[in-house]
Amino acid sequence: MVSTPTRTTAARPAAGGATSGTKTPSAAPTTAGRPAVTPAARVRAWNRGFWSALEGTGKSRNGSTYYLILGSTLALTAIGIMMVLSASSVEAIAAGESPYSAALKQGGFAAIGVFAMFVLSRVNVVWLRRFAWPLIFLAIALLGLVLLVGRSALGNQNWIDVGPFTFQPSEAAKLALALWMATVLDRKAKLLHEWRHALIPVVLPGAIAVLGLILAGNDLGTAMIVMIIVAAALFFAGVRLYLFGFAGAVLALGATILAVTSPNRMCRILSWTGQTCADGSDLNYQSTNGLYGLASGGWFGVGLGQSRQKYSWIPEAHNDFIFAIIGEELGLVGTLVVLVLFAILGTAIYRVVVAQHDVFHRVLAGTIMVWLLGQASVNMAVVTGLAPVIGVPLPFISYGGSALLMSLCAIGVVLSLARAQMEPGMQPKKMLKFGPAAFANSVRRARAARAARTAASRSAASTASSRSAARTAARPKAPAGKNPAGKNPAKPPATKNPAKPPATKNPAKNPAAKNRTKA
């Protein structure tokens, strides 16, 4: 709630020296006795009031942040499956395949990813620390394996064939790197004011090894996203800002060298600026046709499934340029819906980030937020012609099982942090028991419950036996020879008139009667 502004000291009249009709010249402009409120203060007050009313405060949070993240993620995933079906059907039919093949694969990976997301949302994030070092080593090993046995497509060597599916280790490396950097930076939190501890081992050799292997596969787009992830982790850990200036200069120099030394990248930059390449080719072909698709969509689009640019005018329309197909088929309204969903997702994750007091939690959630939103921004910038063409998919929407699976797993980690902020009575209940720690806990609980039941039964048996012995001891014993038939000894023999004394003929012989006569 926003507190009522109080008066400033200068606006109060001096004691005994001011009257009701005088005004203090040095007082700030007021309205009805209240100090003036700047527009920025009004916006901040409205923002605080809005979020306080939406999710509650303190321990009474109602979990709206959790459900905003969950709802926007599921909505983006559903839109992605629908648009993959629309954008890939034409090329699939031309290749002699089923028009539903790409959508079915995407739906299968989405089902696995949603399951993994719900599982991770029920896991304590601190429990994931023990996997940080094994996962980063596994990611580096897989990136090295790509260079040996990986498959190359469109000039990039990023994929490993696993049966009928392909796996992209660079997508898994993003999440592994985020978890590993959060673990290391949390342990070195008190030493991050020194540049050596801030850069070693997070940047050198960790991030440099991952970046080097990705660039060796000729994937500059993924390398840019990894650079953004590393910068976000250092920023949320509280590293000195001057290090970002040096890092930015080094990265700019490195990007310039990589662009100049590659004819393909140089041609893309020249095509983006409107110039012609040396060989006369136009590598900005995708972006140009993407703009045509966005322009032809108008306000409400040409209709779902009615795109014309997907008829081989936009190569790989269901991958990196699926946002152009959304704009063509669903129009400006459809693109705004996607933008609003990403804005809701980013705002809700930001609410989770700012509520974290632990360095590990803050760095992990902040890195995931920058990863997903930064990648979405780069993809949309490429499609709309604001950046040269680089191969970066749109999270949750572009075709690709590895990217979708890792993005949903990352959202599961954030959901776990958002769930911890909720009031205990309003938290979603646990659905599954999994993992070695959970299995061990369940075994211990089962043993404890069995021991408690055994102890309770023994206690009940001993209590019953003691009560029976007490009742037996409390019974009075019958006199010998008086109750041979086993009748109740406490019951006296029945008499016709027990209160009437026996009659006497001579009252004098009765001492009690004699005493009454004398009295």
Side-chain angles (χ1 to χ4, degrees), residues 177-178 181-182 185 192 202 227-239 244 359 363-364 366-367 370:
L177 185 62
M181 288 189 299
L185 291 173
L192 294 179
V202 172
M227 294 177 191
I228 294 174
I229 291 174
V230 175
L234 296 175
F235 176 80
F236 286 105
V239 173
F244 292 94
V359 176
V363 171
L364 184 57
T367 304
V370 174

Side-chain angles (χ1 to χ4, degrees), residues 328-353:
E328 184 182 7
E329 294 188 351
L330 304 179
L332 179 64
V333 174
T335 58
L336 289 179
V337 168
V338 174
L339 287 173
V340 168
L341 288 174
F342 273 111
I344 293 174
L345 178 64
T347 306
I349 297 179
Y350 176 75
R351 296 293 299 178
V352 175
V353 173

Side-chain angles (χ1 to χ4, degrees), residues 331-420:
L332 179 64
V333 174
T335 58
L336 289 179
V337 168
V338 174
L339 287 173
V340 168
L341 288 174
F342 273 111
I344 293 174
L345 178 64
T347 306
I349 297 179
Y350 176 75
R351 296 293 299 178
V352 175
V353 173
V354 298
Q356 304 303 320
H357 301 287
D358 185 71
V359 176
F360 174 76
H361 294 162
R362 184 173 65 250
V363 171
L364 184 57
T367 304
I368 291 173
M369 177 187 69
V370 174
W371 160 23
L372 297 177
L373 296 184
Q375 186 168 320
S377 302
V378 171
N379 178 273
M380 295 178 187
V382 169
V383 173
T384 55
L386 298 177
V389 177
I390 53 176
V392 174
L394 185 61
F396 308 108
I397 297 180
S398 291
Y399 176 74
S402 302
L404 178 61
L405 183 60
M406 292 300 107
S407 299
L408 290 173
C409 289
I411 291 296
V413 174
V414 178
L415 285 176
S416 176
L417 297 174
R419 179 175 173 269

Side-chain angles (χ1 to χ4, degrees), residues 104-116:
L104 289 176
K105 288 183 180 179
Q106 188 78 351
F109 279 105
I112 298 173
V114 169
F115 175 77

Side-chain angles (χ1 to χ4, degrees), residues 6 72 75 92-93 98 104 115 121 128 131 177 179 239 259-260 268 279 285 297 312 325 338 347 363 395 472 492:
T6 56
S72 58
I93 293 174
S98 171
L104 289 176
F115 175 77
S121 68
L128 299 176
F131 299 105
L177 185 62
L179 178 62
V239 173
V260 172
R268 289 188 181 189
D279 56 357
Y285 179 79
S312 299
I325 306 301
V338 174
T347 306
V363 171
T472 304

Side-chain angles (χ1 to χ4, degrees), residues 437-502:
F439 178 75
N441 290 334
S442 63
V443 171
R444 283 194 293 268
R445 285 194 296 268
R447 289 178 179 176
R450 193 183 305 113
R453 287 194 298 267
T454 304
S457 61
R458 290 178 179 176
S459 176
S462 61
T463 303
S465 60
S466 60
R467 288 179 179 177
S468 177
R471 284 196 299 268
T472 304
R475 290 179 180 177
K477 295 183 180 180
K482 291 290 185 179
N483 191 18
K487 296 182 180 180
N488 190 0
K491 184 176 180 181
T495 55
K496 293 183 179 180
N497 192 5
K500 184 178 180 181

